[in-house]
Amino acid sequence: MTRRSLAWRGVGVGLFAIATALGIGARGDIVLGLPAFGLALVGIVLVVQGRRVPAALRVERSRHRTLAHSIRDRRRTDGPS
């Protein structure tokens, strides 16, 4: 595992810890509880996936996000003769 991936996983642990503290502090308050839950989900995803999350978000925002799908479709339609 690279340092970069460990850094992203560390950010995930930090976000999860902050979300847990906010959730405990909310004590049933929906205004703080729901954002804390969302923050905890983001933290868990970062812990599990590491640096792949920011890379996937960059790909989704780029104008070439459909390139792999287009190449795959093209190969299927042209196929071997």
Side-chain angles (χ1 to χ4, degrees):
M1 193 176 313
T2 64
R3 285 184 182 164
R4 219 165 91 191
S5 186
L6 282 174
W8 279 108
R9 289 173 197 262
V11 169
V13 168
L15 285 177
F16 187 76
I18 290 169
T20 303
L22 280 175
I24 291 171
R27 294 188 187 189
D29 184 18
I30 198 85
V31 174
L32 283 178
L34 285 178
F37 180 70
L39 199 60
L41 287 178
V42 170
I44 290 291
V45 168
L46 280 173
V47 168
V48 172
Q49 293 294 323
R51 70 180 184 150
R52 286 183 269 180
V53 174
L57 292 175
R58 263 194 315 273
V59 167
E60 284 299 316
R61 286 186 310 210
S62 80
R63 59 188 179 143
H64 302 293
R65 67 182 169 273
T66 60
L67 182 63
H69 185 59
S70 300
I71 291 171
R72 204 173 311 120
D73 286 346
R74 180 72 178 254
R75 288 180 180 166
R76 283 186 192 146
T77 57
D78 290 346
S81 301

